[in-house]
Every structure is written in C-alpha cells, then in structure tokens.
Amino acid sequence: YRRRLSYNTKSNKVILTKTPGGKLTYQYATKKTQVSKCGDCKRPLRGVPAVRPTKLASLSKRVKSVSRVYGGSKCSGCVRSRIIRAFLIEEQKIVARVLKAQAKK
C-alpha cells in the first residue's frame, strides 16, 4: 500500500501496474459503481449514468435524470402503469357517481 492505511479494506484495494519505465507500482482502484434502479420494479434505469456518489454530485441535473414524470426514479413502464391506474380509478369514480344518480331516479 502507498497510503497510510495498511489494511485490506473495501476502500483500500490496489492494482499492480507496469509504468512506461518498466517498474511495477501500486495504483489504487476505485470502487465499482452501481447502476440506478427503478423504485418499483428494481430494473436498471436508462439514461442515468452509473457513477460514484461524489461524481454524481458534480453532474448537472439534466444528466442525472430523464425528462419525464418520475424521471431518474422510476422506469417508463412503471410510470405508464401508474398513469393508466390513476385514469382507471378516476373513471370508476365517475361510473359509480352516474350509477348512484340513476338509482335515485
């Protein structure tokens, strides 16, 4: 290890690399990134980069999300089903109201 931490922890992984001069040196490996996943179906989100949280903070809002309702949080299929479900619930309410009005007559 080249830094002060001498334990084989998750954040202290090293890779042996050969320099242009022919020497073998240690290079510190960055942690693997996880792709953002949909909150409902847990499938990977398209259009959202898989980067570490520190890098994510420096990216602009346009890069981190998709220009859609729930963009960068839910996938398109789940958003579509949410919209359809909400529409059908509203339709049911209207039908119930109409049936109640007809029953009064």
Side-chain angles (χ1 to χ4, degrees):
Y1 302 109
R2 300 177 72 159
R3 297 178 189 153
R4 286 178 188 271
L5 182 61
S6 60
Y7 298 106
N8 186 24
T9 59
K10 279 197 286 185
S11 62
N12 204 32
K13 297 292 182 202
V14 288
I15 301 168
L16 259 179
T17 342
K18 193 175 271 191
T19 62
K23 280 170 43 179
L24 283 174
T25 60
Y26 277 129
Q27 275 189 350
Y28 280 87
T30 54
K31 286 184 180 180
K32 283 276 201 310
T33 58
Q34 279 196 325
V35 76
S36 299
K37 291 183 177 67
C38 172
D40 292 347
C41 64
K42 307 297 184 238
R43 271 186 266 168
L45 287 177
R46 288 187 167 153
V48 181
V51 291
R52 297 297 300 164
T54 50
K55 184 84 191 320
L56 205 61
S58 68
L59 293 175
S60 66
K61 188 179 177 184
R62 167 187 83 75
V63 178
K64 287 184 279 195
S65 69
V66 184
S67 57
R68 180 179 51 240
V69 183
Y70 294 107
S73 165
K74 308 262 187 282
C75 68
S76 60
C78 292
V79 172
R80 184 184 287 126
S81 64
R82 273 173 181 248
I83 291 168
I84 291 169
R85 191 184 310 127
F87 174 75
L88 291 174
I89 288 169
E90 289 301 314
E91 285 289 304
Q92 271 185 328
K93 286 178 185 175
I94 292 166
V95 168
R97 219 177 290 141
V98 168
L99 289 173
K100 197 174 182 182
Q102 284 178 349
K104 271 190 177 178
K105 286 183 179 178

